[in-house]
Amino acid sequence: MQHRVTAQRSCWHRVAPSRAAAAARRQPRHQAVLAAAGGGTDALHLFSPSKINVFLRIMRRREDGFHDLASLFHVIDLGDDMSFEELAGTASADVLTCNMDGVPTDDSNLVIKALNLFRTKTGRSQRFKIDLAKRVPHGAGLGGGSGNAATTLWAANELCGRPASVEELLLWSGEIGSDISVFFSNGAAYCTGRGEVVENVPPPLPLNTPLLLVKPPVGLSTPEIFKALDLDRRSTADPRQLLARLAAEGATQELTVNDLEQPAFDRLPELLQLKQQLQAEGSCYSSVFMTGSGSTIVCVGSDSIPSFLSDARYTGMFVSPARFITRQRGEWFAGPSQKAAPQAPTAVVA
Ligand code: C5P
């Protein structure tokens, strides 16, 4: 599916570069296999998935500045491609390359943080060469960087002969971010605490449910959105009931609550307008909601692209179909090209 937006004017100020789509189209899709790399060493190619929050309740503000949440996280098939190689024993640093401008490749990148964590926890000294082909937009509420960190922990563990269990990787990952642990679940997880307390649940929605992701060129900062949350304006819905009702009733508008919509929409009124316009598509979607701290809006029930998005005001929009995915025990998540009936994410920008 492809839909090209061609316009001169945009209502989205602070226009962020939307190069992910173009860069991703240039990248070949990799298989999750060990393959001989140019230098003769083995390279591990893995799909690095992202996630959405089907509902997100914020339960309380904590003294450490974080928030206790209760959320159904679901891993999805929009993701990046990563390749990993072990460097020679003489190497004193990891080498990270990335196709997307603006992505740091130093110690501040979660990929390097994950490798440092892995070495600290396992006592290994192995250094790695990592190539990251980004497709997931930044500041989107999709956990793209967190997925990269989880994929890196998985890859390092595989290449080093599995010194750690998946349970240990899950536990350790909470030390470098709140949204990483979910990628060590089966794919559908009820998460609490900062997000790092992960309970596997049977996927409450059919895996082939069509999803459409729509993200304006403006990203949102997670700490800023959490800080701007007005606790008095939250939903009062019981998250356990939301989970139970989702399985019984499907993804209705009522059940896909996100308490962070309030601060995100206060900060970016155009995002509320975008949600409302998508909702106005009527019977097309059973639900339209923001994921995480935004700014991606998720539409459930169809992945056809509404014609209004071709209007000049929506220049630079990231639009991608997606599907829920799960992971088999002992295996990593497979990307769209590795499944029988691929539904390749199509990031579309002007
Ligand atoms: O853990 P992570 O690095 O993803 O969190 C980024 C920021 O988002 C935190 O520094 C915090 O300001 C906010 N946050 C929060 N409560 C959470 C998760 C994140 O307040 N449960």
Side-chain angles (χ1 to χ4, degrees):
M1 174 180 308
Q2 191 137 359
H3 184 103
R4 181 156 278 279
V5 182
T6 51
Q8 312 87 16
R9 210 160 41 83
S10 168
C11 66
W12 302 95
H13 5 275
R14 291 197 289 133
V15 176
S18 295
R19 297 197 181 96
R25 281 195 295 269
R26 289 196 296 271
Q27 296 295 325
R29 307 306 306 269
H30 298 304
Q31 296 297 309
V33 292
L34 277 168
T41 51
D42 282 339
L44 178 60
H45 300 289
L46 291 176
F47 176 68
S48 175
S50 60
K51 60 82 184 167
I52 63 168
N53 300 86
V54 181
F55 65 80
L56 175 56
R57 286 289 341 275
I58 306 299
M59 307 313 285
R60 71 181 187 100
R61 198 161 260 150
R62 305 178 357 170
E63 287 182 2
D64 61 5
F66 282 85
H67 296 74
D68 278 334
L69 53 82
S71 175
L72 174 66
F73 281 67
H74 211 308
V75 180
I76 59 169
D77 70 353
L78 172 69
D80 304 327
D81 290 322
M82 301 186 76
S83 67
F84 302 85
E85 283 175 55
E86 290 178 285
L87 290 173
T90 48
S92 59
D94 301 303
V95 179
L96 172 62
T97 52
C98 180
N99 66 336
M100 191 187 285
D101 290 344
V103 175
T105 52
D106 60 9
D107 286 8
S108 66
N109 192 300
L110 273 173
V111 168
I112 305 295
K113 286 186 184 176
L115 291 174
N116 288 335
L117 179 76
F118 179 78
R119 282 186 287 264
T120 304
K121 295 292 186 185
T122 60
R124 302 292 174 113
S125 56
Q126 180 65 53
R127 302 281 173 171
F128 299 87
K129 181 176 183 302
I130 313 100
D131 184 57
L132 171 59
K134 289 291 293 177
R135 193 177 284 111
V136 181
H138 176 70
L142 293 168
S146 299
N148 294 161
T151 305
T152 299
L153 284 172
W154 178 277
N157 198 46
E158 289 296 302
L159 289 170
C160 289
R162 295 191 191 163
S165 66
V166 176
E167 291 71 25
E168 284 173 315
L169 297 179
L170 186 156
L171 206 62
W172 299 344
S173 67
E175 294 182 23
I176 54 170
S178 308
D179 282 357
I180 305 172
S181 313
V182 66
F183 293 99
F184 296 104
S185 74
N186 296 340
Y190 181 74
C191 298
T192 52
R194 287 186 289 115
E196 88 289 14
V197 182
V198 172
E199 177 187 329
N200 274 309
V201 295
L205 303 170
L207 294 182
N208 62 359
T209 304
L211 305 172
L212 186 73
L213 311 177
V214 183
K215 182 198 170 285
V218 183
L220 288 171
S221 149
T222 302
E224 280 178 29
I225 295 303
F226 269 104
K227 211 169 155 195
L229 168 68
D230 179 350
L231 294 175
D232 294 335
R233 290 163 68 192
R234 287 173 301 165
S235 156
T236 52
D238 176 338
R240 285 277 178 194
Q241 275 189 16
L242 290 177
L243 183 61
R245 287 184 60 195
L246 270 173
E249 299 169 38
T252 64
Q253 196 62 54
E254 180 198 353
L255 299 178
T256 50
V257 172
N258 182 347
D259 283 333
L260 295 180
E261 285 189 354
Q262 168 263 309
F265 294 164
D266 281 358
R267 188 167 188 83
L268 204 57
E270 300 97 320
L271 195 58
L272 173 60
Q273 285 166 21
L274 175 63
K275 177 185 171 183
Q276 288 169 339
Q277 275 194 282
L278 289 163
Q279 281 175 312
E281 290 295 300
S283 56
C284 201
Y285 309 119
S286 66
S287 179
V288 178
F289 55 90
M290 189 182 84
T291 175
S293 55
S295 58
T296 302
I297 303 290
V298 180
C299 308
V300 182
S302 168
D303 59 10
S304 54
I305 301 174
S307 54
F308 78 84
L309 283 177
S310 59
D311 188 274
R313 291 181 302 144
Y314 297 100
T315 302
M317 201 72 62
F318 175 93
V319 184
S320 175
R323 295 289 185 275
F324 296 120
I325 55 172
T326 55
R327 182 175 69 81
Q328 299 302 311
R329 199 173 164 76
E331 292 177 14
W332 193 237
F333 293 97
S337 64
Q338 296 159 240
K339 293 190 299 194
Q343 173 69 44
T346 309
V348 183
V349 291

